């Protein structure tokens, strides 16, 4: 039976970003782990998800898959999976695969989608019940946050093991951030915002302008996390222009200021024109061609 496309397994398009790949993996790995998903074939589904993420989260492996498909990982290829195993290193645990060639083969580390080591995904779901036989570590609990709560910080009242407590969330946390409080961790689950997309501490906003505004220039009102601000567009602004607003992004967790905000300018072409609008555009076209 032909193997499934890795992008299809994670429900992604081929131009998916690293953040989208990581987010899709985290969601699917939690949903389809055999200890959670009792449906038939859950174990195989979980293996497929991990295999797909292992490839697509590695830039070199992803490039090879995009070019050669599953043939890139067949026996004897540079990316042949060969034997694999968990290894502890200076930065925590990694899942290391080896090519099946001669000594000196290339090693690849496996990123666990934002979890600090391979046991964290199970501890988040089962409170430390790792199928690898490891002793229980600090418990982890998912904390849902709105986009505004994440970028501005907030105080949340939570209930942990029957105890209510107030937790101060620092400004700048992102989806998947881990915050330690005493003997447990909170893992933030941040909702998206229709106005902004986020990459690290930088924010991106798409802004549509008319042909007239692009040609003549003028002032536009742009949303930021601090409220709307006015931005001056020069005459002759082209569709695809990106404007940088320094220091208008998200606060950095460990100090050092804020990220930036980028405005992506897009030209808005009307679907319908009034009689007067059409006449004016036709006159403009005649002037430009004369």
């Amino acid at each position: 039976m032909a193997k499934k496309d890795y992008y299809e397994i994670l429900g992604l398009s081929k131009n998916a970003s690293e953040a989208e790949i990581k987010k899709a993996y985290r969601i699917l790995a939690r949903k389809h782990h055999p200890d959670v998903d009792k449906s038939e074939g859950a174990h195989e589904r979980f293996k497929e998800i991990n295999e797909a993420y292992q490839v697509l989260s590695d830039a070199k492996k992803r490039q090879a898959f995009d070019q050669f498909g599953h043939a890139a990982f067949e026996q004897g290829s540079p990316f042949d999976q060969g034997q694999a195993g968990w290894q502890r290193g200076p930065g925590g645990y990694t899942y290391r695969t080896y090519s099946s060639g001669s000594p000196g083969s290339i090693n690849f580390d496996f990123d666990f989608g934002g979890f600090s080591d391979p046991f964290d995904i199970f501890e988040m779901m089962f409170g430390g019940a790792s199928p690898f036989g490891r002793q229980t570590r600090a418990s982890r609990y998912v904390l849902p946050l709105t986009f505004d709560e994440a970028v501005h910080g907030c105080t949340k009242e939570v209930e942990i093991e029957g105890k209510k407590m107030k937790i101060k969330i620092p400004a700048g946390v992102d989806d998947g951030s881990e915050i330690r409080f005493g003997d447990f961790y909170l893992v933030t689950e941040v909702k998206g915002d229709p106005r902004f997309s986020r990459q690290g501490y930088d924010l991106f906003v798409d802004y549509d302008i008319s042909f007239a505004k692009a040609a003549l220039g003028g002032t536009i009102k742009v949303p930021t996390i601090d409220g709307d601000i006015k931005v001056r567009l020069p005459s002759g602004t082209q569709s695809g222009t990106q404007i940088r607003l320094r220091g208008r992004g998200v606060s950095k967790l460990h100090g050092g200021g804020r990220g930036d905000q980028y405005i992506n300018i897009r030209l808005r072409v009307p679907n319908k024109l009034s009689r007067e609008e059409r006449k004016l555009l036709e006159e403009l076209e005649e002037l430009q061609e004369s």
Side-chain angles (χ1 to χ4, degrees):
M1 183 181 295
K3 297 189 72 173
K4 292 183 181 178
D5 182 271
Y6 289 140
Y7 292 99
E8 182 183 345
I9 290 171
L10 296 183
L12 298 168
S13 65
K14 289 194 174 182
N15 61 353
S17 65
E18 292 182 13
E20 289 171 331
I21 292 171
K22 182 175 291 188
K23 184 174 183 179
Y25 168 73
R26 289 168 65 89
I27 293 172
L28 291 172
R30 292 173 186 167
K31 180 179 179 181
H32 293 289
H33 187 274
D35 288 343
V36 174
D37 185 355
K38 300 300 183 181
S39 64
E40 185 178 353
H43 180 72
E44 291 302 318
R45 172 68 172 157
F46 186 69
K47 286 174 61 179
E48 285 182 343
I49 292 166
N50 280 280
E51 181 181 336
Y53 181 73
Q54 182 181 353
V55 171
L56 298 185
S57 64
D58 184 293
K60 292 181 180 178
K61 291 182 181 180
R62 183 180 181 182
Q63 184 178 7
F65 178 73
D66 287 345
Q67 187 170 359
F68 302 108
H70 290 288
F73 309 100
E74 292 176 355
Q75 187 172 2
S77 73
F79 291 94
D80 177 19
Q81 302 296 303
Q83 293 182 339
W86 300 106
Q87 293 189 4
R88 181 193 277 277
Y93 281 83
T94 58
Y95 188 84
R96 196 176 292 271
T97 62
Y98 300 88
S99 64
S100 59
S102 58
S105 57
I106 302 173
N107 298 332
F108 298 93
D109 290 337
F110 181 46
D111 174 8
F112 285 86
F115 293 96
S116 59
D117 64 49
F119 303 93
D120 286 349
I121 188 169
F122 299 100
E123 291 174 352
M124 175 176 286
M125 293 186 292
F126 314 119
S130 168
F132 301 100
R134 185 178 174 182
Q135 292 182 347
T136 301
R137 293 159 36 102
S139 297
R140 282 163 167 74
Y141 302 91
V142 175
L143 178 66
L145 295 175
T146 66
F147 180 84
D148 286 339
E149 288 174 333
V151 299
H152 293 296
C154 62
T155 299
K156 301 286 284 186
E157 185 173 286
V158 299
E159 184 173 333
I160 305 294
E161 298 178 356
K163 298 179 181 178
K164 290 185 177 180
M165 61 186 78
K166 289 186 177 181
I167 299 292
K168 187 174 182 179
I169 305 300
V173 297
D174 203 352
D175 188 51
S177 294
E178 291 188 356
I179 309 169
R180 181 155 194 167
F181 294 95
D183 58 354
F184 65 90
Y185 286 91
L186 289 178
V187 183
T188 56
E189 189 175 76
V190 182
K191 294 181 180 179
D193 187 284
R195 302 166 298 170
F196 306 100
S197 60
R198 178 176 175 178
Q199 294 182 17
Y201 296 109
D202 293 334
L203 296 173
F204 296 82
V205 172
D206 292 331
Y207 197 96
D208 294 343
I209 61 173
S210 66
F211 172 78
K213 182 72 73 176
L216 299 174
T219 302
I220 60 175
K221 187 183 290 186
V222 178
T224 74
I225 57 175
D226 303 310
D228 292 346
I229 64 169
K230 292 182 179 180
V231 175
R232 181 74 183 175
L233 287 181
S235 59
T237 296
Q238 301 296 309
S239 183
T241 296
Q242 189 174 75
I243 300 172
R244 182 182 185 183
L245 304 178
R246 293 182 181 273
R248 288 286 184 175
V250 180
S251 298
K252 298 180 180 179
L253 278 173
H254 303 293
R258 294 169 57 171
D260 300 322
Q261 179 171 318
Y262 295 86
I263 309 169
N264 298 318
I265 299 297
R266 304 186 304 188
L267 185 62
R268 182 179 67 249
V269 179
N271 294 323
K272 295 182 179 180
L273 295 172
S274 67
R275 184 176 300 176
E276 184 178 1
E277 288 171 334
R278 179 175 292 278
K279 181 180 178 181
L280 290 172
L281 286 174
E282 288 172 347
E283 290 176 357
L284 176 62
E285 185 177 23
E286 289 178 4
L287 285 172
Q288 292 177 335
E289 291 179 350
S290 61

